[in-house]
Amino acid sequence: MTASSDRSNLQRLLQPRSIAVIGGGAWCANVIRECRKIGFVGEIWPVHPKRDEVGDLPTFKHINDLPGAPDAAFIGVNRALTVEAVRLLSARGTGGAVCFASGFSEAQAELGDGADLQQALLDAAGDMRLLGPNCYGFVNALDCAALWPDQHGMQPVERGVAILTQSSNIALNLTMQTRGLPIAYLGTLGNQAQTDLAELGATILEDPRVTALGLHIEGLSDLRGFEVLARRAFELGKRIVAVKIGASEQASAAAVSHTASLSGSDAGARALLKRLGIAQVGSLAGLMETLKILHCRGPLAHGGIASMSCSGGEASLVADSVLGTELHFPALSAQQQEALRGALGPKVALANPLDYHTYIWGDQEALTGCFSAMMSAGNLALGIVVLDFPRADRCDAREWDIVVNAVADTAAATGATMAIMTSLPECMPENIAQDLMTRGVIPICGFGEGLEAVAAAAWLGENGPASVSLLLPSGGKLMHETTIQTVLAEGEAKKILAQHGLAVPRSKRARTPREAGDAAAEIGFPIVLKGEGFAHKTEAGAVKLGLTTTEDVIAAAVKMNAAGYLVEQMVPQTVAELLIGVMRDPAHGFVLTLGAGGILTEILQDTVSLLLPVDETAILTALHSLRIAPMLAGYRGAVAAEKKAICQAVLAVQAYVKAQAGRVAEVEINPLLCGPDGAIAVDALIRLED
């Protein structure tokens, strides 16, 4: 299948002029109903061997009886007949099909032949494109096509966002939103047997009528495809926001190392989306609100915002709601204060967030002057006016219209990006949200998801996809209990990593206490003695620091009663201890964990995750984000750690992982002793998969 035929067939499926509906049950009748309801003007050809009509349309008895090759087909028959229908449709030259039936790879454990049947489905498809199996299909509200077997809440639009998900029920729920978000495409993927989220998303984003892409992700099947999607979206000036759910099997038990418990699927997924320049939100409501901002204005330039309301309580709630985000409220400039004082008089305390009180309520000119004064500063990416609308069935909202007019006038006069945000989602009626968008004002529903969305839009304005491709595990397979694994002894692990540039202390291995004493005398005191064969040496009492005589070394070794000993040079002045860990995560690549090390690893849980490869800039940014960053910088006049040496240690571990990408499962340095003159790894672990 050539790339051109691949893309053209997928476009035929998504923008059909003719649709075949295979099957006669209620689901198939629903497809015909939904096509009519949304306004599809092309041909609809039901196929059923026994029924004379489906959905009030006359049927064709066989796929071969169709008057031509349909652009798209909805296949609503059982799994075995689905494979045969795909084969016949492909032979007719059909563009693509939605496979509704379940019982394929997702049911392998229950049915035993699910994977084989899915492969047969792929073989039958040939050049024809497939969505599913085990999915509802899609709705294209731009071209009024609905290969969708259920009700939905979408209506025709001229432009809007696209939303893709692996879950048909979540997709259905999202269509019922009343937030005013125009949805241009809604697609479900099911098993992603042939077409996955990345490919479908990349195709849809090429449509100039699509403004942004939202993803609900359960799992990723093609990391390279997602890199292509992210870069292409950025080139098109469009942005992607995602909700990522689910957890995958860890590569090994956490008892072996700290890294295994600190990294893994969730950390890998977060690091992946960040690296791809895809904003991650924690809720479907946050997804919808972020898409709304992106649709109306695109990404925000930065996180500097202004908030204006006629209530001190609302101003305080907004201020509290941005805690823990990158959003901030820039202090008022002298120019802003002078203009605000002129608009509000002497009784109002001036601040950002601003409580402008109710002195000017009902005065459109004064409200416009207040909002325009606040937005006169050049350091604001967004101006938010907090305004909850009254119930239309019980109240009169004409005075609220005055505030809306003032916000719209401010946006038009100043060129500022303006939003009206409600404290509760239900206090933003859909018709008002839609009207605000036509007037150039962003409607934001609810403080929680609304400010999450503002933060995501600001992050998108400051970040894009990495230009360097991911380092992926060779073979990309998870390790299981039956996998043969090799854990290298500390001394051997350090020796190997040193060959790639890691600084390690002088050391010697010894088999007996007497050999340990002799090795200590050769290295020079003070000495660190470690017993080998323990997963966690400190807890086992297998580490002794600051030994200053041969006799002390021998006595400590006898007490440890270890299988062997590692005798090491004592590292001088230390500012902080760090952990450097890399875990092989086939779902996302190699996950690098940086954080507080030594005994603080469990206590602080202070870590940050990235995906390899990284450069010095990324490492320094990650270090700066840690809570122990002030210690590394020299807290309260203390000496600072040598950051360049820390970067060199991370890059040395990365160099080893690159060289052994086909075998390495885990590397951990804990602790890396960081001082003013360097960074030295005093403990190391390497786990390989054979």
Side-chain angles (χ1 to χ4, degrees), residues 246-262:
S248 66
E249 179 183 354
Q250 295 291 322
S252 66
V256 176
S257 73
H258 300 297
T259 302
S261 62
L262 293 170

Side-chain angles (χ1 to χ4, degrees), residues 196-209:
D196 66 2
L197 279 171
E199 185 181 14
L200 186 59
T203 301
I204 288 175
L205 280 177
E206 294 293 337
D207 192 324
R209 300 168 295 176

Side-chain angles (χ1 to χ4, degrees), residues 306-596:
S307 173
M308 296 155 277
S309 68
C310 62
S311 162
E314 289 175 343
S316 297
L317 276 174
V318 172
D320 288 348
S321 296
V322 304
L323 294 176
T325 74
E326 297 299 317
L327 298 177
H328 60 279
F329 299 99
L332 299 179
S333 67
Q335 176 186 349
Q336 285 174 293
Q337 293 187 52
E338 181 180 357
L340 284 168
R341 184 63 68 205
L344 298 174
K347 295 182 180 180
V348 176
L350 303 181
N352 183 20
L354 175 67
D355 168 16
Y356 61 81
H357 293 245
T358 55
Y359 302 119
I360 58 174
W361 181 263
D363 185 337
Q364 183 172 327
E365 183 178 352
L367 286 166
T368 303
C370 172
F371 302 154
S372 297
M374 177 64 91
M375 300 309 297
S376 63
N379 60 349
L380 296 172
L382 178 68
I384 297 173
V385 174
V386 178
L387 187 69
D388 284 67
F389 292 89
R391 292 178 57 133
D393 59 340
R394 299 178 184 176
C395 304
D396 185 346
R398 280 177 291 184
E399 290 186 358
W400 278 255
D401 293 339
I402 296 172
V403 182
V404 171
N405 292 337
V407 174
D409 289 347
T410 298
T414 66
T417 300
M418 298 295 295
I420 288 180
M421 180 171 66
T422 59
S423 59
L424 298 174
E426 56 267 32
C427 292
M428 175 71 76
E430 184 175 24
N431 65 311
I432 291 177
Q434 292 169 335
D435 179 64
L436 287 174
M437 286 191 286
T438 64
R439 302 182 68 178
V441 177
I442 307 171
I444 301 178
C445 304
F447 283 174
E449 55 260 51
L451 290 170
E452 179 186 27
V454 174
W459 185 88
L460 286 168
E462 298 180 302
N463 295 273
S467 59
V468 179
S469 295
L470 286 165
L471 175 64
L472 299 183
S474 301
K477 296 181 180 179
L478 284 167
M479 290 180 300
H480 301 282
E481 293 180 1
T482 56
T483 302
I484 300 173
Q485 297 179 35
T486 300
V487 179
L488 301 185
E490 178 187 339
E492 185 179 359
K494 286 181 182 174
K495 181 180 179 181
I496 291 173
L497 292 170
Q499 294 171 356
H500 289 82
L502 182 69
V504 299
R506 291 180 59 205
S507 65
K508 289 195 69 174
R509 298 180 69 185
R511 292 171 295 177
T512 66
R514 170 53 64 183
E515 288 184 7
D518 294 341
E522 181 180 339
I523 292 172
F525 297 98
I527 284 294
V528 177
L529 179 68
K530 300 177 180 179
E532 294 184 333
F534 301 95
H536 299 292
K537 298 181 181 67
T538 301
E539 290 85 343
V543 178
K544 291 295 180 183
L545 307 176
L547 301 175
T548 58
T549 68
T550 300
E551 291 74 19
D552 289 343
V553 173
I554 293 173
V558 170
K559 188 174 182 180
M560 287 180 191
N561 191 28
Y565 304 92
L566 186 65
V567 185
E568 285 191 341
Q569 170 192 19
M570 188 81 175
V571 177
Q573 182 181 13
T574 298
V575 173
E577 298 183 359
L578 290 180
L579 173 145
I580 303 172
V582 174
M583 283 289 295
R584 172 181 173 177
D585 180 358
H588 308 108
F590 285 101
V591 183
L592 167 66
T593 301
L594 299 176

